[in-house]
Amino acid sequence: MRIRSLGVIDDAVVELSPGFTAVTGETGAGKTMVVTSLGLLLGGRADPALVRIGAKAAVVEGRIVMRPDAPAAVRAEEAGAELDDGALLISRTVSAEGRSRAHVGGRSVPVGLLAELADDLVAVHGQTDQQGLLRPARQRQALDRYAGDAVAVPLEKYASAYRRLRSVAVELEEITTRARERAQEADLLRFGLDEIAAVEPVTGEDTELAAEAERLGHAESLASAAQIAHAALAGNPEDPEGVDANTLVAGAHRALESVRSHDPALGALAERIGELGILLADVAGELAGYADDLDADPLRLAAVEERRAALIQLTRKYGDGQNTVDSVLAWAERGSARLLELDGDDERIAELTAERDGLREELSLLAQALTDARGEAATRFASAVTQELASLAMPHARVSIDIRQAEDPEGVEVDGRPVAYGPSGTDEVELLLAPHPGAQPRPIAKGASGGELSRVMLAVEVVFAGSDPVPTYLFDEVDAGVGGKAAVEVGRRLAKLAKSAQVVVVTHLPQVAAFADRQLLVEKTNDGSVTRSGVTVLEGEARVRELSRMLAGQEDSVSARAHAEELLAAARADA
């Protein structure tokens, strides 16, 4: 991490080792700023009071190495971030006015995304800032991971059945709560379909009837016009002296036929006039037939208009704005399909009800299996944590896990009683602590003091090591109120935890720092700030001097140096 203008830190770089890193320094030197910086990178509250006096903003930048398939890497990429050579770059800026900005993998992101990534990156345990396992839901998840396949197998089956039950319940609720609306819709559809069936419309019928009504309504004028046209073409028998088109064309044809041999041009015109005569004769014949066939039947006209009125009534009600018989028939087709769907509600309700009841029975059996498996794992876990606490200056402390269910009349039946259930089963899991004999077990957040709480968390994390996927643990003042042999045991257990995860500890105890793979010293300059050179990696003689200071307050004390060298040797031998 690079930290700029945060609290007493002006500009410093903190390099954390893969194993166990101890951060030490004088009181007030800025050790806790390491914790604060990491908290900001993980979405912690941005307090403008953290900004160094005189600076415009505090900036924390971190480079976190992770696998490309790690949950945090996947979530970051979903937000548009990119990994840089297997590392995720995160930065957080807090202005003196209180504004906060976050960047992940080169992309500006909401600060909330940092908090999402935090759950998969770091577990923080401090005097005033306890995260992760203090939340009951996280305690249940951790216990499930500790239990392994004994819980994972039934939990997967339970989760699948639970999701299906929720889906069935939603569909059933929708159908039953809308039963009245659906019944009204079905009644309206039946009425409309019956009304259409009574008329029995035929595709294109409205267009044909409109044409017939137009013809029948003007039958007399149509017949008169046909007769006049016929007389003009073929003549009127009642007027033998009248001149008609056929007679005139025939005369023209005869005149040209008599001389066509003298000029081929006239012969061609004669042929065309002959064709014209034939066409006139055909048209005249059709006009005569039309006039004879035209029926000015008022009864038929009345019947056509009555039929059209019935069709118009249907098109206005069911034509969907198109006002055609075809659109009415399309509505009837859709209405019939919808009515079948609505009429099938009763059958569907019966199917869903039966499936729901079956799923609830299945959930009851799986929930009981989960409770039994969690109970067995909780017994083993509580015993292991209690043994760890005995070596951490809490010899009389007892840890237990309370697994309980909340009664709910609408829940599933477990052990003969209805209990509330959720996506992870029916169990509420809570870690309890009795710090001394005679004390009532209480939730760990309430049953332990600040120093005890950090040690309980250490004991829990050591037991969970290997089953908890969080790759980094940060302990602030985990050794508060501890000294002597207990302090050595704290260091030993931190080193044990560091074999399976990265561990960062802010400590004032040399017994703890001696077990670290890397020790960082935070020290101020003369002006009271921590600069880039103010966070140094201690090795060899420098580390012995710092451990001597931590032991006796005197870096050059011969006895303190001897003790410091002895601590380092013992820690290395223990490793």
Side-chain angles (χ1 to χ4, degrees):
M1 292 189 299
R2 183 180 182 185
I3 309 165
R4 287 178 287 170
S5 302
L6 184 70
V8 299
I9 298 180
D10 179 27
D11 189 346
V13 174
V14 179
E15 296 184 24
L16 306 177
S17 72
F20 178 5
T21 299
V23 182
T24 64
E26 294 279 4
T27 301
K31 300 188 300 297
T32 57
M33 286 297 103
V34 175
V35 179
T36 302
S37 300
L38 194 54
L40 286 174
L41 284 183
L42 300 175
R45 187 175 67 88
D47 185 354
L50 295 173
V51 180
R52 184 170 172 76
I53 297 175
K56 294 182 178 180
V59 180
V60 182
E61 299 168 314
R63 183 175 184 272
I64 305 176
V65 179
M66 63 181 67
R67 302 188 319 274
D69 60 346
V74 173
R75 179 65 186 93
E77 289 181 346
E78 290 174 352
E82 296 182 0
L83 265 65
D84 178 20
D85 193 22
L88 187 65
L89 303 180
I90 300 178
S91 70
R92 180 81 179 277
T93 302
V94 180
S95 72
E97 291 79 22
R99 293 189 301 273
S100 174
R101 291 180 298 162
H103 290 79
V104 175
R107 294 292 298 271
S108 177
V109 298
V111 174
L113 176 63
L114 300 185
E116 291 183 39
L117 300 179
D119 283 343
D120 296 315
L121 291 175
V122 180
V124 179
H125 303 298
Q127 293 277 17
T128 59
D129 182 26
Q130 293 290 344
Q131 299 180 8
L133 285 171
L134 285 186
R135 298 196 299 268
R138 187 65 181 268
Q139 292 176 13
R140 185 191 62 239
Q141 294 169 7
L143 178 63
D144 289 351
R145 285 194 298 271
Y146 179 79
D149 288 344
V151 166
V153 173
L155 181 58
E156 182 178 356
K157 295 178 181 178
Y158 176 94
S160 176
Y162 177 84
R163 289 191 297 270
R164 178 55 189 163
L165 176 60
R166 298 304 301 164
S167 175
V168 168
V170 169
E171 184 177 355
L172 189 58
E173 178 72 13
E174 179 184 357
I175 293 178
T176 53
T177 55
R178 293 184 55 198
R180 177 176 296 180
E181 296 177 13
R182 295 166 78 92
Q184 291 174 346
E185 183 183 357
D187 288 343
L188 289 175
L189 287 173
R190 288 192 189 93
F191 178 82
L193 292 171
D194 290 345
E195 195 171 12
I196 294 172
V199 176
E200 296 182 338
V202 178
T203 300
E205 181 183 8
D206 50 345
T207 303
E208 296 175 1
L209 289 176
E212 185 178 2
E214 186 71 14
R215 187 171 63 252
L216 291 173
H218 298 83
E220 293 183 1
S221 59
L222 292 172
S224 174
Q227 290 168 357
I228 293 172
H230 179 269
L233 295 179
N236 188 351
E238 298 179 0
D239 184 11
E241 300 297 329
V243 179
D244 59 83
N246 272 338
T247 301
L248 294 174
V249 169
H253 185 261
R254 286 194 301 273
L256 295 180
E257 279 290 326
S258 63
V259 295
R260 66 179 297 174
S261 59
H262 303 302
D263 188 349
L266 281 181
L269 292 174
E271 291 181 1
R272 291 172 63 185
I273 292 176
E275 294 173 356
L276 182 60
I278 295 172
L279 180 60
L280 287 173
D282 289 343
V283 173
E286 290 183 15
L287 286 171
Y290 176 84
D292 293 339
D293 293 339
L294 192 61
D295 185 10
D297 185 355
L299 294 179
R300 174 58 185 167
L301 178 60
V304 169
E305 293 294 355
E306 182 179 355
R307 178 66 176 174
R308 289 187 68 205
L311 293 176
I312 289 172
Q313 185 177 9
L314 288 182
T315 58
R316 286 175 177 172
K317 295 176 68 174
Y318 310 109
D320 291 336
Q322 300 180 31
N323 295 331
T324 64
V325 167
D326 288 351
S327 62
V328 171
L329 294 173
W331 182 93
E333 184 177 355
R334 294 194 303 272
S336 297
R338 175 61 175 164
L339 186 59
L340 287 175
E341 179 183 336
L342 294 172
D343 286 342
D345 276 357
D346 291 341
E347 181 179 347
R348 183 58 178 159
I349 288 174
E351 292 176 356
L352 290 173
T353 301
E355 184 177 3
R356 180 199 61 191
D357 294 343
L359 287 169
R360 288 175 65 87
E361 292 179 5
E362 182 181 357
L363 282 182
S364 295
L365 296 175
L366 291 171
Q368 184 64 63
L370 280 173
T371 299
D372 294 342
R374 284 170 175 156
E376 189 277 332
T379 300
R380 291 188 289 111
F381 164 79
S383 176
V385 174
T386 298
Q387 290 179 16
E388 288 291 332
L389 288 177
S391 300
L392 295 174
M394 297 179 68
H396 304 296
R398 294 291 180 269
V399 169
S400 61
I401 291 184
D402 181 25
I403 300 177
R404 59 185 181 275
Q405 297 82 30
E407 291 198 12
D408 182 355
E410 302 299 323
V412 298
E413 188 170 304
V414 176
D415 281 338
R417 60 192 181 97
V419 298
Y421 64 100
S424 299
T426 60
D427 302 320
E428 296 178 6
V429 175
E430 191 163 32
L431 191 62
L432 305 179
L433 172 69
H436 52 80
Q440 290 295 321
R442 300 180 64 195
I444 55 174
K446 300 176 181 179
S449 64
E452 290 174 333
L453 183 55
S454 290
R455 277 176 279 162
V456 172
M457 289 292 95
L458 173 59
V460 168
E461 298 293 12
V462 169
V463 173
F464 276 141
S467 63
D468 197 325
V470 176
T472 300
Y473 297 91
L474 176 62
F475 291 91
D476 183 18
E477 303 289 344
V478 67
D479 47 23
V482 176
K485 183 178 178 181
V488 173
E489 291 299 330
V490 169
R492 180 174 287 116
R493 273 146 183 79
L494 287 168
K496 179 180 178 182
L497 180 60
K499 294 183 182 300
S500 59
Q502 182 183 40
V503 176
V504 181
V505 179
V506 177
T507 182
H508 67 274
L509 287 182
Q511 296 95 326
V512 172
F515 279 89
D517 299 305
R518 170 180 288 182
Q519 184 172 346
L520 301 180
L521 173 64
V522 181
E523 55 185 349
K524 296 181 182 179
T525 59
N526 292 333
D527 64 358
S529 68
V530 177
T531 63
R532 182 181 295 271
S533 61
V535 180
T536 56
V537 178
L538 299 179
E539 296 179 348
E541 178 64 21
R543 189 171 185 186
V544 173
R545 283 176 57 83
E546 172 61 10
L547 290 176
S548 299
R549 181 200 63 78
M550 298 173 71
L551 281 165
Q554 298 176 351
E555 296 89 335
D556 299 322
S557 168
V558 175
S559 60
R561 288 175 58 82
H563 192 184
E565 291 172 351
E566 184 180 356
L567 279 177
L568 284 172
R572 288 169 185 151
D574 190 85

